[in-house]
Amino acid sequence: MNSSKRKPVLAANWKMYKTVAETRDFLKVFLPLVNNLSEREVVIAPPFTALSAAGEIIKESELVSLAAQNMYFEQKGGFTGEISPIMLKEFGVKWVILGHSERRHIFGEENSLIALKVKTALENDLLPILCIGEKLEEREAGLTNEILEKQLSAGFSEVGNQEAGKVAVAYEPVWAIGTGKTATPDQAQDAHIHIRSWLTGHFDSGIAGQIRILYGGSVKPENVNELMALPDVDGALVGGASLKPGSFAQIASCRVG
Ligand code: PGA
């Protein structure tokens, strides 16, 4: 059970799935299923092309808000193919996922780039979901904590004490993403404790205590309650199981508090 100071966040990362039409169909079914939920934030991160449609549909919702899956760190300029924070804000985007392992490992994003993105997101009033996590070989070599610290210190390198509370950290062990292998509750809790203690060592304790730490990696309706019951798990970032409205509605309806 997370601290009552921190409102749980259940976030859907749709990756490169769903057209505009599919986004509309999903939300038409999903929103009535979660209508009565409270004491949590539900976040949907569709592809860029569906942000406008999704933003229009959820703009009246108090519960559900919109995230982008990535962003560039400049407001405008000659950056072919990139999307800026001001463009995201036009669609009512509130959050932005940064440093997802697919960005790091498929597209070669380095910690230094992710740091600039986190800084720019905050400067533009977007809330970063900073993703961190170790690869399988790093875990097996006993390097998990070292990798997490490195990714945290880079990700927060440009973030001051006042702003730090606006960042959510998503712990996503790379070996658990899209593989059906979830971290055991002990593995998740250990990593989350380590992340919390790093945060406490770098920011005022009140601020560090506000930062939500989400778990991600094969979260599904069957395991979400067990994960959310862990003391330092403040939410979930969900890929595959967020693509069907019924499944993500069950996840969003997890026990909190
Ligand atoms: P998964 O993806 O739930 O399909 O493992 C999680 C993520 O990549 O954020």
Side-chain angles (χ1 to χ4, degrees):
M1 207 171 295
N2 76 304
S3 154
S4 55
K5 292 190 301 246
R6 298 189 294 269
K7 204 180 209 190
V9 178
L10 288 310
N13 172 15
W14 284 355
K15 311 191 179 188
M16 202 174 71
Y17 294 99
K18 293 197 192 295
T19 60
V20 170
E22 288 164 346
T23 298
R24 290 203 176 102
D25 289 347
F26 176 103
L27 290 171
K28 214 169 10 172
V29 179
F30 178 73
L31 291 178
L33 296 175
V34 296
N35 225 359
N36 293 324
L37 296 176
S38 58
E39 296 162 12
R40 70 200 71 202
E41 294 186 61
V42 176
V43 177
I44 307 264
F48 289 130
T49 47
L51 282 173
S52 170
E56 274 301 308
I57 299 170
I58 66 176
K59 72 176 178 222
E60 308 297 340
S61 172
E62 299 224 331
L63 177 85
V64 185
S65 56
L66 198 59
Q69 298 175 19
N70 185 26
M71 175 202 90
Y72 197 57
F73 66 85
E74 296 281 359
Q75 294 206 332
K76 56 179 142 179
F79 304 105
T80 301
E82 293 295 324
I83 301 285
S84 92
I86 48 177
M87 295 167 182
L88 298 180
K89 295 202 66 186
E90 248 188 329
F91 296 133
V93 169
K94 178 175 173 189
W95 304 82
V96 58
I97 299 172
L98 296 173
H100 188 278
S101 66
E102 287 151 14
R103 300 296 323 165
R104 291 177 189 266
H105 302 304
I106 301 175
F107 300 102
E109 288 196 10
E110 304 276 358
N111 278 324
S112 51
L113 176 67
I114 296 159
L116 290 171
K117 292 184 175 191
V118 171
K119 173 177 185 264
T120 307
L122 290 167
E123 283 169 355
N124 287 275
D125 290 324
L126 290 165
L127 305 177
I129 300 176
L130 169 65
C131 300
I132 61 172
E134 80 289 0
K135 295 193 266 191
L136 184 59
E137 59 269 29
E138 292 164 341
R139 172 165 284 271
E140 285 172 351
L143 295 173
T144 300
N145 287 346
E146 201 177 302
I147 296 292
L148 297 182
E149 283 168 28
K150 213 165 151 191
Q151 293 174 339
L152 284 167
S153 53
F156 280 95
S157 59
E158 303 282 340
V159 181
N161 206 43
Q162 288 315 314
E163 297 285 281
K166 297 180 185 163
V167 180
V169 175
Y171 169 60
E172 298 203 305
V174 179
W175 47 271
I177 293 180
T179 58
K181 285 190 199 134
T182 322
T184 64
D186 279 353
Q187 287 170 327
Q189 176 61 10
D190 282 355
H192 283 230
I193 288 179
H194 194 73
I195 294 165
R196 178 78 57 208
S197 83
W198 186 93
L199 294 169
T200 309
H202 287 78
F203 299 106
D204 289 354
S205 61
I207 304 278
Q210 281 169 27
I211 298 177
R212 271 109 29 121
I213 309 175
L214 281 50
Y215 170 79
S218 300
V219 176
K220 41 190 185 253
E222 297 75 27
N223 61 20
V224 68
N225 283 319
E226 185 180 25
L227 289 159
M228 290 297 290
L230 298 168
D232 284 285
V233 174
D234 307 313
L237 182 57
V238 188
S242 73
L243 292 170
K244 293 219 168 73
S247 158
F248 190 54
Q250 272 180 274
I251 292 172
S253 311
C254 66
R255 280 194 296 278
V256 298

